[in-house]
Amino acid sequence: MRLNFSGGRALVTGAGKGIGRGTVKALHALGAAVIAVSRTNTDLVSLSEQCPGIETVCVDLGDWEATERALGSVGPVDLLVNNAATLQTQPFLEVTKDVFDRTFNVNLRSVVQVSQIVARGLIQRGVPGSIVNVSSMVAHVTFPNLAVYSSTKGAMTTLTKVMAAELGPYKVGMGGGTWGTEAGGHRRSGLGRRWGAQAPGRRWGAGLRDGNGRQRARRGLRPTQGSGQGVSDGLSARASSAGVGGGAQGLWGRASSTC
């Protein structure tokens, strides 16, 4: 079954690297007009070379005012993938205000801000749409030195459910993903090796919701197509539950909520 995003416009945050970059490539290949958002311009330049025709926006999503200037008039968006995140490891007793504020501003506050921009536009246009929030296994499984990052991802999971309840009546579908050690920060910190998830491109299963946290999560590991591709393909699929024919009209606004 091949998805078809032709005629739709998608915005992906954290598009410069990893999951976000793979998601841009997947959506572009499936016919979507993609807006790639990253704070690193060199990443956007190389991504544009790989995906001719995409739009790029270089902005630090941790800056509310700069984000409003960059995306406030971005135009119609049918699908939003909130993927941008920052990870800095600190022991709980050494957490600093700067790291706390920066992590929450990028990982959670920007999700609220960018989602408001997109959702308001969908409602004003009177059309359905989809928002996908990328969470992490650390929303469910305890890791040392990740108190702040884990808190943002736990909050993301709850935020996704609240957004689904409030935006559902407007036909704005919410989707969520809980992913494993895909992010480079996890690999660099050695967390994947310590917890038995050494290879990138692996996804943690739904067992993470159970009280048996770590043990169930390890059984839930499933290989995907490494280096972000499997995850990005999964995100593309979640953005639509009507993958055959019908063009964008049948696709946008239908997403599974499995965060």
Side-chain angles (χ1 to χ4, degrees), residues 62-122:
D63 184 328
W64 183 281
E65 289 73 24
T67 299
E68 189 64 35
R69 290 192 298 270
L71 298 178
S73 57
V74 71
V77 173
D78 302 291
L79 165 66
L80 167 63
V81 178
N82 284 308
N83 169 70
T86 182
L87 186 159
Q88 297 184 59
T89 58
Q90 286 185 324
F92 172 74
L93 292 176
E94 298 176 16
V95 170
T96 62
K97 179 181 183 298
D98 287 345
V99 168
F100 184 94
D101 289 348
R102 173 67 180 171
T103 306
F104 267 86
N105 289 349
V106 174
N107 296 11
L108 191 67
R109 192 182 71 177
S110 74
V111 173
V112 173
Q113 183 182 17
V114 179
S115 296
Q116 285 179 337
I117 293 171
V118 171
R120 286 169 180 162
L122 289 167

Side-chain angles (χ1 to χ4, degrees), residues 15-246:
K17 298 179 176 68
I19 294 172
R21 192 180 186 94
T23 300
V24 169
K25 291 180 179 179
L27 290 170
H28 179 261
L30 293 172
V34 184
I35 308 161
V37 180
S38 173
R39 66 173 181 158
T40 308
N41 191 59
T42 53
D43 288 340
L44 292 175
V45 171
S46 62
L47 183 59
S48 295
E49 293 172 350
Q50 295 175 356
C51 302
I54 66 170
E55 302 175 54
T56 61
V57 177
C58 187
V59 64
D60 181 354
L61 294 177
D63 184 328
W64 183 281
E65 289 73 24
T67 299
E68 189 64 35
R69 290 192 298 270
L71 298 178
S73 57
V74 71
V77 173
D78 302 291
L79 165 66
L80 167 63
V81 178
N82 284 308
N83 169 70
T86 182
L87 186 159
Q88 297 184 59
T89 58
Q90 286 185 324
F92 172 74
L93 292 176
E94 298 176 16
V95 170
T96 62
K97 179 181 183 298
D98 287 345
V99 168
F100 184 94
D101 289 348
R102 173 67 180 171
T103 306
F104 267 86
N105 289 349
V106 174
N107 296 11
L108 191 67
R109 192 182 71 177
S110 74
V111 173
V112 173
Q113 183 182 17
V114 179
S115 296
Q116 285 179 337
I117 293 171
V118 171
R120 286 169 180 162
L122 289 167
I123 293 168
Q124 289 172 0
R125 290 159 56 206
V127 298
S130 294
I131 298 175
V132 178
N133 292 338
V134 180
S135 189
S136 168
M137 65 178 182
V138 300
H140 310 276
V141 181
T142 303
F143 282 98
N145 304 326
L146 284 182
V148 178
Y149 180 80
S150 298
S151 296
T152 65
K153 292 305 182 178
M156 170 84 88
T157 298
T158 300
L159 175 63
T160 301
K161 296 173 183 178
V162 174
M163 290 171 65
E166 294 194 19
L167 298 178
Y170 298 102
K171 297 183 180 179
V172 178
M174 289 301 305
T178 300
W179 311 105
T181 55
E182 190 66 34
H186 287 249
R187 294 198 299 273
R188 285 192 297 272
S189 66
L191 293 174
R193 292 189 298 276
R194 189 180 311 155
W195 288 74
Q198 298 180 19
R202 289 177 177 248
R203 175 182 165 188
W204 291 75
L208 291 169
R209 288 186 180 219
D210 297 348
N212 229 351
R214 183 181 66 176
Q215 187 177 19
R216 288 297 304 277
R218 292 184 64 171
R219 285 203 301 270
L221 277 174
R222 292 183 292 172
T224 60
Q225 303 171 17
S227 197
Q229 188 59 49
V231 175
S232 59
D233 288 347
L235 288 177
S236 300
R238 286 182 185 210
S240 168
S241 59
V244 179

